[in-house]
Amino acid sequence: MMGSKVQYAVIGLGRFGGAVTRELFNMGREVLAIDANEDLVREYSAYSTHAMIANTTDEATIKALGIKNFNYVIVAIGDDIQASILTTLILKEIGVENVWVKAQNEYHHKVLEKIGADRIIHPEKDMGTRIAQHLVSQHVIDYISLTEEHSMMEIKATDKLAGKTLVEVNIRQRYRCTVVAIWRNAELIMTPLPGEVIQEGDILMMIGKKSDLTQFSEKEL
Ligand code: ADP
């Protein structure tokens, strides 16, 4: 009988796939680790629920693994772009709901998009973007690109912002950004009202254009 637990499978246990596998396992998640390399599979048997040797470019092999019903399959095959594409194609063809794939470059990205990858990840590019934001302001806690133009940014409220209401700072009008939530002492305040008073140490979750978010962090933090 199928359990109700969310099931994850990671294909490719290099640096990226390996880190994903370990983190899921450390969080107590059910994770199947797959690689064509026997040594890696042996190593990861200690950091996964199951670890299997398989070449995922073979449809019969994928079917035999029974990962059709897994909730998330992460394709973390690195340099072998052809293998990554073929694996993704087979996973989508057999009906895996969420296939997240690590892309090597823009061409790889385009093909993955076409064949129905649900999320395409560029680990180095994404990390680079975040690090740049941290360099510019140590008050920026997290930064996620939503589109080429828009981002979500989490910032820590400084004493400069503390004591003011959202409407006083006038974030909407002056910076065209929206505060979608505030974290305060482990409590999440969703869609805060304009009269909400910002407290020092609050974490503001904001959405807006990248250039507008930059302006906000330069002027208000
Ligand atoms: P990273 O840059 O994240 O370290 P790597 O390219 O080093 O990525 O790792 C990719 C992993 O994917 C390797 O361990 C490799 O054995 C595995 N891999 C490559 N092709 C296949 C395949 N067809 N089936 C299963 N695993 C594969």
Side-chain angles (χ1 to χ4, degrees):
M1 211 170 76
M2 277 264 304
S4 59
K5 256 188 145 175
V6 179
Q7 287 181 304
Y8 301 86
V10 178
I11 299 170
L13 303 170
R15 285 165 306 166
F16 176 71
V20 173
T21 303
R22 282 169 192 252
E23 192 66 16
L24 286 170
F25 187 66
N26 288 338
M27 289 190 290
R29 302 299 175 146
E30 218 162 275
V31 52
L32 169 64
I34 302 162
D35 202 293
N37 180 320
E38 191 180 337
D39 293 335
L40 278 172
V41 172
R42 196 174 307 119
E43 183 189 335
Y44 274 87
S45 61
Y47 308 107
S48 60
T49 322
H50 303 285
M52 284 173 167
I53 306 165
N55 180 348
T56 57
T57 57
D58 180 54
E59 190 168 345
T61 305
I62 290 198
K63 281 186 173 156
L65 289 172
I67 53 179
K68 180 183 184 311
N69 296 315
F70 275 55
N71 305 82
Y72 290 91
V73 179
I74 295 94
V75 181
I77 295 173
D79 299 329
D80 193 344
I81 291 177
Q82 203 172 317
S84 161
I85 291 167
L86 204 49
T87 298
T88 305
L89 188 65
I90 296 167
L91 291 169
K92 285 316 289 181
E93 258 176 15
I94 65 168
V96 176
E97 189 98 12
N98 294 293
V99 181
W100 292 23
V101 192
K102 171 181 140 166
Q104 289 295 96
N105 54 49
E106 285 309 312
Y107 298 108
H108 189 191
H109 183 117
K110 273 194 184 150
V111 176
L112 291 173
E113 216 169 25
K114 279 254 182 289
I115 61 175
D118 298 283
R119 178 143 169 192
I120 303 160
I121 308 151
H122 296 262
E124 281 164 340
K125 197 172 148 212
D126 297 347
M127 200 59 199
T129 311
R130 287 187 190 195
I131 294 294
Q133 289 298 326
H134 285 294
L135 283 170
V136 169
S137 167
Q138 72 266 43
H139 302 297
V140 176
I141 293 173
D142 207 352
Y143 190 89
I144 298 165
S145 280
L146 299 174
T147 69
E148 199 70 40
E149 237 187 330
H150 301 88
S151 281
M152 198 217 74
M153 176 171 84
E154 270 184 11
I155 58 112
K156 197 167 197 166
T158 56
D159 52 355
K160 208 171 151 186
L161 280 173
K164 292 181 188 164
T165 61
L166 292 176
V167 74
E168 272 170 344
V169 185
N170 210 357
I171 299 172
R172 266 259 164 85
Q173 303 290 328
R174 285 179 64 195
Y175 302 102
R176 298 162 294 276
C177 298
T178 306
V179 176
V180 290
I182 299 175
W183 276 105
R184 181 177 298 153
N185 306 323
E187 189 202 342
L188 185 68
I189 305 163
M190 285 295 295
T191 51
L193 298 170
E196 186 72 44
V197 181
I198 302 168
Q199 296 177 14
E200 195 172 348
D202 274 0
I203 292 168
L204 273 54
M205 223 183 265
M206 311 173 57
I207 284 180
K209 273 194 179 170
K210 289 177 183 176
S211 51
D212 292 333
L213 289 167
T214 303
Q215 257 206 339
F216 171 85
S217 56
E218 277 173 4
K219 294 225 176 96
E220 302 288 346
L221 295 179

